[in-house]
Amino acid sequence: MHSKAVATCRNLSHRYQNHAALDDINLDLQPGEITVLLGPNGAGKTTLIHLLLGLVQVQQGTITVLGQAAGRREARQHTGVMLQISGVQDNLTVFELLQLFVSLYPRAMELDRLLAETDLQSLHNRRFGQLSGGQQQRVLFAIALCGNPQLLILDEPTTGMDPAVRRQIWSSLEQRRKRGTAILLCTHDMHEAEQLADRIVLLNHGRVITHDTAEQIRRRLPSQLIKVRSSIQLTSIAASDNVQSISRTDDLLTIYCHFAEPVVRAILNADPDASELEVTGTDLETAFLALTKANPSTVEAKHE
Amino acid sequence: MSKSATIEQIRSHWLVLARFIECQWLNLLRTPAYTLPTLMFPIMFYSFFGLLMIRGQAQYLLCTFATFGCIGAALFAFGVGIATERAQGWLTLLQATPAPIAAVLVGKGFGAALFAAIITLIMSVLAAVFGDVRMATGQWAGLLLVMVLGSLPFSALGIGLGMSLAPNAAPAVLNLIYLPLGFLSGLWIPVSQLPGWLQDVAVWLPPYHLAELALHVTGTRSGSALISLAILTGYTLLFVLFAAWAWRRPKTSMNQ
């Protein structure tokens, strides 16, 4: 049983002119949980984050953050955010920047603790513009932690970081999770998602494709990938529940399924001339690609 | 709320404001590519027109060129500054934090006021040394005060424009507003030397009235300054409304 959600979205839809950026999103961010938001570019992830922060007006549906409408000052006082584009002023030192942001929050972290947690002590006198990309990301992460947030929203926080620093950020996130912070993590890094996610929300074309615990999703995902050259009709093998998706490029079929053997048998029975047959296991990344594949034939083939 | 909690809240608000002012000043002082032209441009103009070319009007032109410099500092600090920060994401980041918008803007306003003070002080020194301008201490101080406070309405106009313009268009559009406004308001050459119909235009423009206040406070102009004060107050209200509208304009996309 879940405790009260820190943030909720109900029937949230958002349009940019004729384009539906989000369509009927329902989401709860629970305390002490890391929710990973996955999806290809243009799936609606950044729109969702901006709506949660109150940076874009809600058009349809509702969002509450800590019992307040998104964007209310009371909600922002307990929300930490790391955006992809932050425009931090290059001429200010790390210390000056953190001092500024710490002053904004009612229950802010002590600067020394913040510098230690983000390993920025040795850089505190350097100007932001003089830092490497990875170091700048760490400063932005520190800015997100300034207010000791109950809700932490991170948009691709570890992009450009070396593996050691990335692990340090993960460790910091795990500590925050243990302390009850609700974390929404948007990432393209499947390894990061697998390491950290309590729940995964997969967005595609503005809709939630999957929303479940990481373990449940892993169970449901296709585990095997078949590649074969064949002129076989897609409909003859797409009907099975075993098959997750099929796509065709010329005569090369790419099939994601739970069990390869019955599919291979069906192909060979229907088309003895099939060639270049290859069966491999799929990792989370490949499986997600299968689920979000933009090629319409993937979807059409499954629903034919 | 208890008294101590109220005091703590007020202290915290002042601290936030102090931090924004500090960051704004540090950022400006560490950006010589922006700071030097903004300061030097009006000072150079005053040196050429007020001290070298037009003789005997150094005090009058001190008031008008100081006005020109202060308006530029306010318009560009806000107009270009906000348009750029909006595009680069700094404003978005601040809007996602509990930063009071008033503190963000007042911090910027202090940046413009600092520029206004520096421009006025340097011009005043040049006027006294090379233009033989002599005024009472109160008049020098009055000029400084009028210029610092006079940058406020133009700061509001800058906010409105900064929130409305694309960052790459902002410098060009602001120059299109700033330079003609300066000329038509009689800031480069005295209004009396402009053609009659331009003199009629000048009296409706806000920089003209800021310069008039400066002329009154320095004793260069006699009579009442109330009309200029009233017109400038009206423009201030108008610019504040424009800034508020531009700031609060509903955002339906992430790029606005």
Side-chain angles (χ1 to χ4, degrees), chain A residues 116-169:
Chain A
E117 184 169 338
T118 48
D119 198 22
L120 287 169
Q121 298 105 316
S122 60
L123 299 174
H124 77 278
N125 272 331
R126 296 265 298 276
R127 290 188 193 176
F128 186 78
Q130 296 170 338
L131 302 176
S132 70
Q135 289 168 335
Q136 289 186 343
Q137 289 288 96
R138 272 155 60 196
V139 176
L140 298 179
F141 182 63
I143 287 174
L145 299 184
C146 275
N148 249 328
Q150 287 175 259
L151 172 63
L152 189 54
I153 296 177
L154 307 166
D155 197 355
E156 299 186 25
T158 55
T159 305
M161 285 183 180
D162 64 54
V165 179
R166 180 177 303 192
R167 291 213 167 267
Q168 198 183 356
I169 300 282

Side-chain angles (χ1 to χ4, degrees), chain A:
Chain A
M1 179 146 174
H2 283 302
S3 48
K4 198 178 172 199
V6 173
T8 60
C9 302
R10 290 286 173 268
N11 309 113
L12 189 65
S13 296
H14 199 85
R15 299 187 72 82
Y16 297 123
Q17 291 164 340
N18 293 325
H19 166 66
L22 292 175
D23 185 9
D24 199 25
I25 304 291
N26 289 285
L27 180 67
D28 288 332
L29 301 177
Q30 302 290 350
E33 272 192 7
I34 297 179
T35 303
V36 170
L37 193 57
L38 291 173
N41 291 334
K45 303 186 296 293
T46 304
T47 300
L48 179 56
I49 286 176
H50 280 226
L51 282 162
L52 276 163
L53 294 169
L55 297 172
V56 176
Q57 278 198 335
V58 174
Q59 293 172 347
Q60 198 180 329
T62 56
I63 304 180
T64 55
V65 176
L66 294 152
Q68 307 281 335
R72 287 286 300 270
R73 189 151 191 263
E74 294 81 357
R76 284 183 278 136
Q77 283 178 333
H78 302 285
T79 304
V81 59
M82 180 173 171
L83 299 171
Q84 275 184 56
I85 302 170
S86 62
V88 166
Q89 303 193 332
D90 283 352
N91 285 320
L92 298 178
T93 66
V94 171
F95 186 80
E96 287 159 355
L97 278 168
L98 294 182
Q99 204 177 31
L100 172 69
F101 280 92
V102 159
S103 74
L104 303 178
Y105 293 92
R107 38 170 231 152
M109 282 184 78
E110 286 174 22
L111 262 174
D112 288 343
R113 267 190 59 213
L114 183 61
L115 288 166
E117 184 169 338
T118 48
D119 198 22
L120 287 169
Q121 298 105 316
S122 60
L123 299 174
H124 77 278
N125 272 331
R126 296 265 298 276
R127 290 188 193 176
F128 186 78
Q130 296 170 338
L131 302 176
S132 70
Q135 289 168 335
Q136 289 186 343
Q137 289 288 96
R138 272 155 60 196
V139 176
L140 298 179
F141 182 63
I143 287 174
L145 299 184
C146 275
N148 249 328
Q150 287 175 259
L151 172 63
L152 189 54
I153 296 177
L154 307 166
D155 197 355
E156 299 186 25
T158 55
T159 305
M161 285 183 180
D162 64 54
V165 179
R166 180 177 303 192
R167 291 213 167 267
Q168 198 183 356
I169 300 282
W170 291 356
S171 159
S172 178
L173 289 179
E174 277 161 0
Q175 284 172 30
R176 297 261 154 194
R177 166 168 55 190
K178 280 182 196 154
R179 281 186 251 156
T181 308
I183 300 170
L184 179 65
L185 171 66
C186 182
T187 183
H188 285 295
D189 182 340
M190 291 297 162
H191 182 54
E192 187 166 80
E194 282 192 292
Q195 287 288 314
L196 295 173
D198 295 301
R199 290 178 170 273
I200 291 177
V201 176
L202 177 61
L203 278 182
N204 198 21
H205 298 300
R207 298 191 71 113
V208 173
I209 305 289
T210 303
H211 178 190
D212 214 331
T213 61
E215 184 54 35
Q216 284 298 322
I217 286 177
R218 260 192 290 271
R219 278 188 201 159
R220 283 213 314 270
L221 288 171
S223 57
Q224 297 204 286
L225 168 64
I226 301 167
K227 287 189 174 179
V228 61
R229 289 201 182 278
S230 169
S231 55
I232 189 174
Q233 289 294 311
L234 296 181
T235 45
S236 63
I237 48 174
S240 164
D241 285 343
N242 177 32
V243 174
Q244 187 78 31
S245 69
I246 309 173
S247 62
R248 183 201 292 279
T249 310
D250 298 326
D251 65 342
L252 179 66
L253 299 181
T254 304
I255 304 162
Y256 291 94
C257 61
H258 297 284
F259 308 104
E261 191 182 331
V263 181
V264 171
R265 281 183 194 284
I267 292 169
L268 292 175
N269 281 340
D271 179 11
D273 296 331
S275 61
E276 296 179 34
L277 176 66
E278 184 187 324
V279 179
T280 54
T282 60
D283 54 15
L284 190 61
E285 181 167 358
T286 325
F288 270 115
L289 284 174
L291 282 171
T292 59
K293 200 152 188 170
N295 185 347
S297 70
T298 309
V299 180
E300 283 163 15
K302 198 66 194 106
H303 296 285
E304 270 173 0

